[in-house]
């Protein structure tokens, strides 16, 4: 019987840490192994996996049924909508039980002469985990570069293929971020190299094809480890960019793409607190800037004035309740992505000052600008979905706004969007703020009488907004009577930049309060039974889950916590851990006493207590480079020693995966099926 299964109990080795006169004792600090080879650590993780398997074996039929349901909704033979880039049309497709896509190109949209570029299934053979980070074609369209990660650590190797001869070049670039930018000479490329300890990309190298990587030239090194680094190219392909981004500050360096042996130079002086993005077209720069504009404004400059903000020309002024999220430039128009009261819209402008809005009709939805490589195009490609509408691809005419549906995701089985309904509601938080919530349910099983089970999801960090989009896997919950809710809590930018700032650093507690207040409101308003509430979150959303189960454990029957950031204080005090220094502007720098105390007040690991907790399923990946495996490992061990209930605490580690979980379109469904089986089984126990 499952109640006789004994959970793994970890040994305790006290490790004291003192900062600002305050001492914490961590009995499980020994679980950290940067090399991931410690026999005791690996043995304990395997015991935890066996414990999960023993407990869930009683629900294997349910687990298998859920997996087959989710897999059965996926079209086995599927292809993308072709996109034109240069002389060719590019497309990808998947066939049968293939886990990965194959990539092709053709000289016409009908793809009558398509040729294979890469078969990812062949590349992935022999690997438990495989991910292609980026594919990029040389300007003359004869060479392909792609990056691959074979263990989930997001450390990519870049390889090159000659598309004329269908052979690989000898050039191999190791220990990279996975990005590569071609100069216009078709033989010189730039890439970002990682710090071996922190895994932070901090150096840009220049490589000339045909030479060994050891001869590559370091062209830029970022000294401030708070900055992330990316590469890009201007819309008119005249400049190569080094993008530098800290949480609250941006910086961009530029190089003439026709002169790759030149020197990268800053476009404008780095100013703390100034966040901006730039695109260049026809000799003019278009700048989204937060200077004197919390929600950003759009400005324009030429090559002579780009370095002086005082000379920039304002095109779209700052508006208090409208957040500008992005822009896409075309020769005839430019498209601005805006968000008002949490909802996305697109505004199409011509260069003569006229504009119109592109809208959609769903109560709550997600829409985003797709891949639009051709600046001469007469249409903009947009991706759209809602909680009840499968992912759709539209081409929207830039002059008329007329939308043409190019493809909608096919959902196999008995799916009918008319069976489901979505709502957008606002919940009163305890401090008077109104928190947006997106809801979806099946019409014939929802009664709004407090009888339905509820699955509530949240994230709430980095200004990342989790928009309400379609998920075919969620149908397995909806068809069993669940209400699914996304709580758009503070820490996101759902309601603008201020919404984000109210959920970071010293204001972080607002994120947790919002999530709890949404749960209470939804049960009080009849959306769910108070004893049938589940919650789930991953990464920074895993931190959210860890804080919530400490602060309001009585509200939840079961909680899914995935690749979670749980030991916030210890991690943020250790600059050797990947991402730590980049995160100071998000969580605070605990080397400063006020930030130390603020983090200590909510850090999930430090606030575990001798109290009853919900049933909890924790998952992670051994090779996670974003949140190290030992954070959830330690948290589970400490929670086992403290909790006063008999509820389930399960901890599963994918010994091959990283932060993104399993690779492949079917394998990743196993983890989703596990969580759903865990939740559904609790309803009948």
């Amino acid at each position: 019987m499952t109640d006789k299964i004994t959970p793994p109990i970890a040994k305790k080795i006290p490790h004291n840490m003192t900062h600002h006169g305050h001492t914490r004792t961590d009995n499980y600090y020994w679980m950290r192994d940067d090399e991931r080879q410690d026999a005791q650590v690996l043995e304990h993780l395997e015991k935890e996996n066996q414990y999960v398997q023993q407990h869930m074996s009683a629900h294997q039929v349910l687990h298998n049924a859920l997996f087959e349901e989710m897999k059965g909704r996926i079209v086995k033979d599927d292809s993308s909508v072709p996109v034109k880039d240069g002389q060719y049309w590019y497309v990808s497709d998947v066939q049968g039980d293939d886990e990965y896509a194959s990539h092709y190109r053709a000289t016409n949209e009908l793809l009558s002469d398509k040729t294979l570029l890469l078969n990812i299934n062949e590349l992935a053979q022999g690997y438990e985990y495989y991910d292609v980070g980026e594919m990029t074609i040389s300007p003359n369209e004869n060479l392909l570069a792609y990056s691959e990660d074979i263990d989930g650590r997001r450390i990519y190797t870049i390889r090159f293929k000659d598309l004329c001869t269908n052979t690989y070049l000898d050039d191999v670039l190791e220990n990279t971020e996975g990005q590569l930018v071609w100069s216009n000479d078709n033989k010189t490329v730039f890439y970002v190299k990682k710090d071996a300890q922190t895994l932070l990309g901090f150096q840009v190298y220049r490589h000339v094809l045909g030479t060994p990587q050891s001869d590559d030239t370091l062209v830029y090194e970022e000294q401030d480890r708070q900055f992330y680094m990316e590469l890009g190219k201007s819309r008119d392909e005249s400049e190569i960019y080094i993008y530098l981004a800290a949480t609250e500050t941006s910086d961009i360096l530029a190089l003439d793409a026709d002169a790759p042996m030149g020197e990268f130079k800053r476009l404008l002086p780095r100013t703390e607190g100034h966040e901006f993005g730039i695109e260049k077209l026809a000799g003019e720069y278009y700048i989204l800037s937060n200077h004197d504009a919390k929600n950003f404004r759009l400005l324009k400059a030429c090559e002579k004035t780009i370095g002086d903000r005082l000379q920039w020309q304002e095109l779209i002024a700052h508006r208090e309740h409208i957040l500008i999220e992005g822009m896409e430039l075309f020769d005839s128009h430019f498209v601005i992505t805006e968000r008002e009261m949490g909802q996305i819209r697109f505004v199409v402008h011509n260069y003569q000052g006229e504009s119109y809005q592109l809208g959609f009709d769903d109560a709550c939805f997600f829409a985003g600008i797709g891949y639009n490589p051709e600046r001469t195009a007469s249409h903009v490609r947009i991706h759209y979905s809602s909680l009840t509408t499968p992912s759709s691809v539209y081409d929207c005419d830039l002059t008329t706004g007329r939308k043409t549906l190019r493809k909608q995701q096919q959902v196999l089985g008995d799916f009918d969007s008319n069976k489901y309904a979505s709502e957008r509601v606002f919940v009163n938080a305890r401090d008077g703020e109104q928190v947006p919530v997106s809801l979806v349910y099946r019409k014939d099983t929802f009664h709004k009488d407090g009888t339905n089970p509820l699955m509530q999801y949240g994230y709430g960090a980095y200004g990342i907004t989790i928009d309400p989009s379609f998920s075919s896997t969620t149908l397995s919950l909806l068809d069993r009577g669940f209400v699914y809710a996304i709580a758009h809590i503070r820490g996101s930018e759902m309601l603008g930049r201020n919404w984000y700032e109210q959920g970071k650093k010293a204001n972080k507690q607002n994120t947790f309060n919002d999530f709890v207040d949404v749960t209470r409101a939804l049960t009080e308003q009849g959306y769910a039974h108070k004893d049938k509430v589940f919650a789930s979150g991953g990464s920074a959303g895993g931190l959210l889950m860890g804080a919530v189960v400490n602060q309001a454990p009585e509200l939840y029957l079961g909680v899914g916590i995935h690749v979670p950031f749980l030991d916030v204080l210890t991690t943020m005090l250790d600059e050797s851990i990947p991402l730590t220094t980049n995160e100071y502007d998000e969580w605070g720098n605990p080397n400063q006493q006020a930030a130390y105390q603020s983090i200590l007040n909510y850090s999930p690991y430090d606030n575990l207590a001798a109290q009853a907790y919900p049933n909890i399923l924790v998952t992670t990946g051994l090779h996670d480079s974003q949140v190290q495996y030992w954070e959830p490992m330690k948290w589970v061990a400490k929670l086992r020693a403290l909790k006063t209930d008999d509820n389930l605490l399960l901890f599963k580690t994918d010994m091959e995966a990283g932060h993104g979980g399993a690779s492949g379109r079917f394998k990743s469904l196993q983890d989703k099926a596990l969580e759903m089986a865990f939740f559904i089984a609790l309803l009948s126990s």
Side-chain angles (χ1 to χ4, degrees), residues 177 179 181 192 201-204 220 222 226-236 239-246 249-255 264-267 270 276-280 285-286 327 582:
E177 281 278 11
Q179 272 196 315
V181 174
V192 176
F202 74 114
Q203 295 174 321
V204 178
Y220 181 76
E222 176 55 47
Q226 293 189 68
F227 283 83
Y228 292 99
M229 178 181 287
E230 292 184 2
L231 299 175
K233 210 168 186 180
S234 62
R235 184 65 161 160
D236 59 12
E239 291 183 331
I240 295 170
Y241 296 134
I242 299 173
Y243 298 110
L244 299 164
T249 304
S250 304
D251 194 5
I252 298 179
L253 290 85
L255 172 70
F264 280 91
K265 296 182 179 180
R266 276 189 170 78
L267 284 177
R270 180 183 295 183
F276 64 95
I278 280 179
E279 275 292 3
K280 182 171 182 281
Y285 294 94
Y286 292 79
M327 62 177 165
N582 301 97

Side-chain angles (χ1 to χ4, degrees), residues 84-90 105-108 139-142 374:
K84 189 174 188 296
D85 187 2
Q87 300 179 70
Y88 295 94
W89 294 82
Y90 291 83
R105 73 178 181 184
T107 60
N108 58 83
N140 65 8
E141 303 177 289
N142 293 333
E374 292 283 285

Side-chain angles (χ1 to χ4, degrees), residues 339 438 457-460 464-469 484 486-488 492 494:
R339 187 184 296 271
S438 299
Y457 177 83
Y459 186 76
I464 295 173
T465 299
I466 306 299
D467 282 295
S469 58
Y484 183 84
I486 304 172
H488 303 293
S492 76
M494 175 58 85

Side-chain angles (χ1 to χ4, degrees), residues 120 503 530:
I120 310 301
K530 66 179 181 60

